[in-house]
Amino acid sequence: MTKRLTAVDAARGLAVFSMITGHFDEGAFLSWPTHEIPYFDGASAFVLLSGLILGVVHRRWVDRDGGCSTSRERLARRITVIYVCQVLLSGLAAIVSLVWPPATHLGLRPIHETSHPVLDIVTLRYLPAGGDVLALYFVLMCAALILIPVLRKGWWKPILVFSLALYIWAMLQPPAWFLLPNENAAGATADWCAWQALFVPALVVGWKWHDWRVSEVMVKSRVVVVLLLGTAAVFVGGRAVSRTPAADMLGAKIEFGPARVIAAWVVLPAVIAVVTLLLRYPWFRRASHPFVVVGTRSLDSYVLQALLLMTLPVVVIQPWGPGPATGITLAVLVLCWAWAEFRTWAGWAKLHRIPSRFAHRSRRHRSLVGFER
């Protein structure tokens, strides 16, 4: 983005933090801040924020070009990157399951026990625990190829109505093809038609971000108070729901129950609003810098933590005690931060291109060689 939404980047960094602590240090001290509110976690935030950022960025490109050509081209590239990343994660999971059986930390059947190992990998049906969100992200991004041209026509209201109808269908009587299949115990990784209740409305909000002056509205005193009270209500209500017989239905993660939808749409705006207000202070800008930087490279960070989640238990045998788990979690967080800082320093905007810092030196070297000749 030409002008980044720093608070949103910070929220994405917090989402990465939530996923890392949930995967490496679940139930321990570091995971407490982002896992205390029932039915709200980093995966929900990741999906919602992905739709939001997509809407903001692609609206700018569509308005600039007067059409969807750039948007479509860049979206296709992004979809390809996401697919390749998920296939690489699935391929590594297959290797780990073969070389270090039974590799129970993957949450999968060993690859040699599946009917079609290679096909399962390339069709995104062999998704390791902690490395499976990209398959859902891939499907939602493919849907965005259709939704963005529709948004350009101004049909955002029908999109929201359709999204709500699709979610209700997913809750009441979902067909089998709503579920993304997986070789795990549940047999699926997510109901994409339920999870779209985060991504699609967020895409609309991102698209209308400047029209609705969302950044300004969110930091109004009354709005902030409402969001904070809503978050408190979600906290209390979520704990009450978790003790009822309906908890499995209302808070289901694969089927993405209503409790999770409500929690995400209340808590995350509150986080963004509070962070926006705090970013006015220099001390908070300094303190939040690691999260902002990681948030700008959230896909990289997710892939990196997934790679480590699959390979570290092979080297450092589980179960980990509280001390080692916290140390490993901090190391993973620092590694994600360091990688994001390196890409910024190197001017490495696109992984398939030479970083600008080194490309400049390479061009200069070639010009000097040519001059000497």
Side-chain angles (χ1 to χ4, degrees):
M1 288 181 287
T2 305
K3 183 180 179 182
R4 298 203 68 94
L5 301 175
T6 307
V8 176
D9 282 335
R12 288 203 292 179
L14 287 170
V16 172
F17 174 83
S18 175
M19 286 189 280
I20 291 174
T21 55
H23 294 156
F24 290 89
D25 202 24
E26 185 177 7
F29 173 74
L30 284 178
S31 67
W32 176 82
T34 55
H35 292 86
E36 188 64 14
I37 297 177
Y39 307 119
F40 178 72
D41 58 18
S44 302
F46 184 82
V47 172
L48 194 155
L49 290 169
S50 296
L52 182 67
I53 292 296
L54 195 72
V56 173
V57 173
H58 285 258
R59 171 67 183 273
R60 184 177 295 128
W61 288 334
V62 169
D63 287 350
R64 183 195 65 188
D65 297 346
C68 296
S69 57
T70 300
S71 170
R72 185 167 51 248
E73 178 185 345
R74 297 202 179 195
L75 191 54
R77 289 179 186 173
R78 187 67 169 177
I79 290 170
T80 302
V81 169
I82 292 167
Y83 173 77
V84 169
C85 287
Q86 185 63 77
V87 169
L88 289 175
L89 292 177
S90 298
L92 179 60
I95 292 171
V96 170
S97 76
L98 280 174
V99 179
W100 293 284
T104 55
H105 64 283
L106 298 175
L108 295 168
R109 288 198 298 162
I111 190 66
H112 64 271
E113 294 182 8
T114 62
S115 302
H116 307 284
V118 176
L119 186 62
D120 283 345
I121 291 172
V122 298
T123 57
L124 310 185
R125 292 167 177 259
Y126 196 76
L127 308 170
D132 54 0
V133 168
L134 295 185
L136 171 64
Y137 192 22
F138 171 78
V139 173
L140 295 174
M141 291 288 277
C142 287
L145 282 170
I146 300 171
L147 293 174
I148 288 174
V150 177
L151 282 170
R152 181 173 178 256
K153 293 179 180 291
W155 297 350
W156 59 271
K157 290 181 181 178
I159 287 176
L160 291 179
V161 171
F162 180 75
S163 175
L164 177 60
L166 202 58
Y167 182 75
I168 293 172
W169 186 11
M171 289 297 99
L172 296 180
Q173 197 171 5
W177 56 272
F178 276 18
L179 290 170
L180 299 179
N182 194 16
E183 292 290 346
N184 58 7
T189 188
D191 182 331
W192 66 271
C193 282
W195 278 80
Q196 62 77 31
L198 297 182
F199 183 87
V200 174
L203 178 67
V204 172
V205 173
W207 186 267
K208 304 290 286 185
W209 187 268
H210 297 293
D211 296 344
W212 293 342
R213 299 187 302 167
V214 178
S215 294
E216 300 172 27
V217 172
M218 287 184 70
V219 295
K220 290 183 177 180
S221 300
R222 285 176 294 180
V223 175
V224 173
V225 169
V226 168
L227 289 173
L228 292 177
L229 289 175
T231 299
V234 166
F235 175 78
V236 174
R239 287 186 171 274
V241 166
S242 66
R243 293 191 290 267
T244 67
D248 290 341
M249 184 272 290
L250 294 175
K253 187 161 187 178
I254 290 177
E255 295 82 6
F256 210 68
R260 291 188 178 273
V261 176
I262 294 170
W265 276 109
V266 173
V267 176
L268 197 55
V271 170
I272 295 173
V274 171
V275 170
T276 301
L277 290 172
L278 291 175
L279 282 170
R280 298 173 180 176
Y281 301 99
W283 66 267
F284 186 80
R285 289 197 294 271
R286 291 191 295 269
S288 63
H289 175 74
F291 296 100
V292 173
V293 174
V294 168
T296 62
R297 303 296 177 192
S298 56
L299 178 59
D300 294 35
S301 298
Y302 179 80
V303 171
L304 185 56
Q305 68 85 34
L307 291 172
L308 293 171
L309 188 61
M310 285 188 279
T311 54
L312 272 178
V314 176
V315 180
V316 185
I317 305 300
Q318 292 177 312
W320 301 327
T326 299
I328 289 170
T329 302
L330 288 172
V332 173
L333 288 166
V334 170
L335 187 59
C336 291
W337 178 22
W339 172 253
E341 291 281 14
F342 171 74
R343 284 195 63 180
T344 301
W345 171 82
W348 202 355
K350 304 294 181 183
L351 288 174
H352 62 279
R353 297 177 184 170
I354 299 175
S356 60
R357 179 178 291 269
F358 305 121
H360 174 73
R361 293 178 182 177
S362 177
R363 287 193 298 268
R364 184 179 178 185
H365 174 72
R366 287 197 299 269
S367 64
L368 288 174
V369 171
F371 177 76
E372 290 173 357
R373 289 178 179 175

